């Protein structure tokens, strides 16, 4: 009987020692995972800040191109630039939202247009619909690449109207 109790006690001690070392190992893994998570958070924060800077800089470029077109003072440019006003002034917001999630380009653009003036998004998309196929195609993609391509195509069209005839 005594041997049986000693054997059970020995097994209990062995299992306790095993679980102690197993718990220590898991604790070290947990500490390493927390460290990696903190590093990932720091990297994500830096990336988010970088995207915000890029979006703001792209918005500045778009606004400067629009300003240069306004200085040329052609009637078609003025009318179309007026229609593009919500797009140009909210470019950084549209850019970051389109980057954040695929398929959000049209949704966020519509929100920006409708907060500017009721039915302005419908006018905007109607104007895009009658434009050259490559501009229309660029808009229809509904993602960040489409936004960049569309913006460049629109401004190329406005800056070089003779090449689009």
């Amino acid at each position: 009987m005594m041997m049986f109790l000693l054997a059970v006690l020995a097994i209990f001690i062995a299992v306790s020692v095993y679980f102690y070392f197993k718990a220590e190992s898991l604790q070290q893994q947990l500490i390493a995972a927390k460290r990696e998570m903190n590093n990932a958070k720091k990297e994500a924060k830096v990336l988010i800040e970088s995207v915000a800077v890029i979006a703001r800089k792209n918005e500045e470029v778009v606004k400067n191109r629009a300003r240069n077109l306004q200085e040329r003072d052609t009637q078609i440019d003025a009318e179309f630039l007026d229609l593009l006003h919500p797009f140009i002034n909210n470019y950084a917001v549209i850019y970051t939202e389109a980057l954040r999630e695929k398929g959000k380009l049209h949704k966020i653009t519509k929100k920006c247009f409708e907060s500017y003036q009721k039915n302005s998004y419908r006018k905007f998309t109607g104007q895009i619909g009658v434009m050259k196929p490559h501009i229309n195609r660029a808009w229809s993609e509904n993602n960040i690449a489409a936004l960049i391509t569309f913006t460049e195509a629109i401004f190329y069209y406005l800056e070089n109207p003779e090449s689009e005839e």
Side-chain angles (χ1 to χ4, degrees):
M1 179 77 167
M2 185 67 139
M3 286 301 266
F4 177 73
L5 287 175
L6 286 175
V8 169
L9 186 61
I11 291 173
F12 178 72
I13 291 173
V15 169
S16 295
V17 169
Y18 169 77
F19 282 121
Y20 171 79
F21 285 113
K22 187 72 169 173
E24 283 294 314
S25 171
L26 290 174
Q27 187 174 11
Q28 292 301 321
Q29 289 176 358
L30 181 62
I31 290 169
K34 282 182 180 179
R35 193 176 314 120
E36 286 179 31
M37 183 182 70
N38 287 335
N39 288 340
K41 280 182 180 180
K42 287 177 186 174
E43 285 181 32
K45 184 179 178 185
V46 167
L47 290 174
I48 289 169
E49 290 170 357
S50 298
V51 166
V53 168
I54 291 168
R56 284 192 304 272
K57 290 297 180 184
N58 282 344
E59 183 175 288
E60 287 176 23
V61 168
V62 168
K63 285 180 178 180
N64 285 334
R65 289 175 84 176
R67 199 173 302 113
N68 290 341
L69 285 168
Q70 282 177 329
E71 290 170 2
R72 284 191 356 203
D73 198 32
T74 62
Q75 188 60 30
I76 191 163
D77 288 352
E79 290 172 10
F80 192 66
L81 283 173
D82 188 46
L83 182 63
L84 283 176
H85 182 77
F87 180 80
I88 293 167
N89 286 330
N90 293 293
Y91 190 83
V93 172
I94 294 168
Y95 186 97
T96 54
E97 287 299 317
L99 186 62
R100 192 177 308 230
E101 191 175 330
K102 287 185 178 182
K104 275 201 138 181
L105 172 60
H106 295 169
K107 184 178 179 180
I108 189 63
T109 304
K110 182 177 183 177
K111 189 175 181 179
C112 291
F113 270 86
E114 293 303 317
S115 68
Y116 172 70
Q117 186 178 27
K118 193 168 176 70
N119 293 321
S120 59
Y121 182 73
R122 189 176 47 77
K123 291 176 189 172
F124 171 70
T125 55
Q127 183 65 37
I128 293 170
V130 298
M131 298 184 94
K132 296 284 184 180
H134 70 279
I135 295 173
N136 200 330
R137 242 188 335 272
W139 178 253
S140 68
E141 292 292 319
N142 199 20
N143 58 34
I144 187 67
L147 173 65
I148 294 166
T149 304
F150 171 76
T151 304
E152 189 55 39
I154 284 293
F155 277 98
Y156 183 82
Y157 164 77
L158 292 171
E159 293 165 346
N160 304 290
E162 64 280 352
S163 67
E164 293 287 331
E165 297 300 323

